[in-house]
Amino acid sequence: MGPETRTGRRARLVGAVVVPLAFMLAGISNPALAVAQPADSPADSAPASEAGAPVTGGPPAPPAPPAAPCNDIDSIVVSRFEEFTAVINRGRVFAGRRTLVPRGPVFWQNLSTNPRFPRGACNVTVLAQGNDVWVRVLTTAGRLYETHCDAPGLTLYCGERWGTVNRPI
């Protein structure tokens, strides 16, 4: 391979990188690569005319995607023999317990039916100490709630009401 071949390849490589980079820095876009971006704020959604009314014309903005339901999971292994898991799925919260030796099925309790279940539960965590298990949820409004479960032997009883926890900052 001669020096003129390497020079030709190098020139093509530099041209393939430098030219698009120069166009990008100059603010010139390629329509074939343009992708619609969602507006972050009302001010970004449509330019305003001098009178303050939105400018008409052009394609309508795409509809906002529907809010996705919150799904979350947290597990804690409290010994080499058992674990606790908390799950949010389609707005409902479950707590479960299973043996690890031998690995058994998870026995679930629906905590969404407990009194004062918070609306908008979106994130979940589980904590355990001895025979006590706490399940905490964070709502979409930023509020923190918890409920308590008893875990004597190989059972899990979660019938207590949900209560608020001090709000973070």
Side-chain angles (χ1 to χ4, degrees), residues 70-146:
C70 296
N71 296 305
D72 196 14
I73 185 171
D74 186 33
S75 296
I76 183 171
V77 176
V78 293
S79 72
R80 62 178 248 205
F81 299 107
E82 68 180 334
E83 78 174 0
F84 296 102
T85 300
V87 172
I88 289 182
N89 187 15
R90 288 184 250 136
R92 298 182 308 173
V93 176
F94 298 89
R97 180 182 197 165
R98 80 170 175 177
T99 59
L100 297 176
V101 179
R103 186 171 300 271
V106 179
F107 293 100
W108 296 104
Q109 297 257 338
N110 185 351
L111 304 182
S112 307
T113 58
N114 289 14
R116 297 184 61 196
F117 176 69
R119 260 190 262 181
C122 202
N123 297 94
V124 67
T125 189
V126 61
L127 304 103
Q129 176 77 36
N131 289 339
D132 295 305
V133 177
W134 293 270
V135 177
R136 292 184 181 157
V137 297
L138 181 66
T139 67
T140 54
R143 299 186 190 277
L144 190 58
Y145 293 85
E146 75 177 353

Side-chain angles (χ1 to χ4, degrees), residues 31-44:
L33 298 177
V35 177
Q37 297 293 322
D40 292 334
S41 68
D44 293 338

